[in-house]
């Protein structure tokens, strides 16, 4: 059984992982340096990018002959 392909290309997937890691590292650093709560924005961005990576991973694991509604 063949694996399905995700909606991200390999380059986009690598950039998504890089963006996730940068946002995840930047949040605690800015929390230490900035007095306001603007570091929460980095957490939100990291969670949104992680959701896209997980959705792409699920699409890649789906068999190629499976329909999207099944």
């Amino acid at each position: 059984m063949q694996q399905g392909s995700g909606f991200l290309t390999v380059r986009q997937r690598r950039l998504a992982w890089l963006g996730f890691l940068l946002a995840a590292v930047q949040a605690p650093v800015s929390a230490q340096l900035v007095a306001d709560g603007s570091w929460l924005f980095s957490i939100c961005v990291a969670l949104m990018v992680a959701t896209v990576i997980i959705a792409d991973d699920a699409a890649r694991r789906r068999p190629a002959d499976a329909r999207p509604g099944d």
Side-chain angles (χ1 to χ4, degrees), residues 2-69:
Q2 285 185 323
Q3 293 290 321
S5 62
F7 52 86
L8 294 177
T9 64
V10 174
R11 179 178 164 85
Q12 289 172 333
R13 191 172 170 88
R14 286 185 185 143
L15 286 173
W17 271 106
L18 179 64
F20 170 74
L21 292 174
L22 288 175
V25 167
Q26 192 258 344
V29 171
S30 64
Q32 292 291 324
L33 299 176
V34 181
D36 63 358
S38 63
W39 59 272
L40 288 171
F41 182 70
S42 297
I43 300 287
C44 292
V45 170
L47 288 173
M48 286 191 296
V49 173
T51 303
V52 170
I53 293 170
I54 290 169
D56 181 63
D57 190 46
R60 288 178 188 270
R61 292 177 189 257
R62 182 179 302 137
D65 56 351
R67 291 184 304 207

